[in-house]
Amino acid sequence: MGKRLWVERNKDGSWDAFSEDGAHLKFGHGKGVFTPGDLMKIALAGCAALSSQFAIEHTLGEGKGARIVVDGTYDADNDAYINFNEQVVVDAMDAGLSDEEADKLKERITRHIDKGCTVKHTYVQETPVRMDVTIRH
């Protein structure tokens, strides 16, 4: 079982997400907050970032990483994303990599993300969601 998460509504209409270990994030609809759809994309990009970090640092040095941009195609009729497009960009301009070394790094990054990204694994399969509603009165 993963760590416990919960959300609470604020008086201004935004929401706060919390984790049992102290993480906090504001979301909602409107300016300056992430929407739930944004958070899905952030989860995918964040997972790729963490999954690729070892391969990138091993080749380019500690503290190096990728810029990962995620976009998605939204289907309004079904109120769902029908796909996500993920672009992983690694700035290796200062590393002086040969074409062969750059290709090897690209392959390693792809393998690490394909092997270690739980969010990507979840999104590419049908993932049932069980929901219970409790009214306390």
Side-chain angles (χ1 to χ4, degrees):
M1 198 76 172
K3 68 179 163 184
R4 189 166 170 254
L5 307 172
W6 68 95
V7 300
E8 296 175 2
R9 181 112 193 251
N10 296 309
K11 291 180 181 178
D12 68 359
S14 67
W15 291 76
D16 286 312
F18 301 94
S19 73
E20 63 188 0
D21 64 359
H24 171 253
L25 176 78
K26 186 176 281 291
F27 70 99
H29 293 288
K31 188 175 174 116
V33 294
F34 294 112
T35 67
D38 294 337
L39 296 175
M40 291 174 62
K41 295 178 220 172
I42 290 168
L44 185 59
C47 192
L50 293 175
S51 296
S52 66
Q53 181 177 339
F54 176 81
I56 295 169
E57 286 188 330
H58 183 263
T59 302
L60 301 179
E62 190 173 331
K64 299 293 184 178
R67 181 174 195 265
I68 302 168
V69 178
V70 176
D71 195 359
T73 303
Y74 178 72
D75 176 4
D77 292 339
N78 292 305
D79 190 29
Y81 284 93
I82 58 173
N83 65 47
F84 292 103
N85 300 303
E86 188 170 32
Q87 180 67 40
V88 180
V89 178
V90 177
D91 184 353
M93 297 297 287
D94 296 340
L97 299 180
S98 68
D99 289 345
E100 183 180 328
E101 291 169 324
D103 287 344
K104 284 182 182 179
L105 178 57
K106 180 179 178 178
E107 289 172 21
R108 284 189 75 206
I109 290 169
T110 301
R111 277 197 321 269
H112 279 260
I113 292 171
D114 285 346
K115 181 180 179 185
C117 185
T118 303
V119 175
K120 183 177 178 185
H121 298 162
T122 303
Y123 285 174
V124 298
Q125 69 179 7
E126 183 176 337
T127 308
V129 176
R130 191 185 112 219
M131 182 179 73
D132 295 318
V133 176
T134 302
I135 308 298
R136 294 171 49 172
H137 63 283

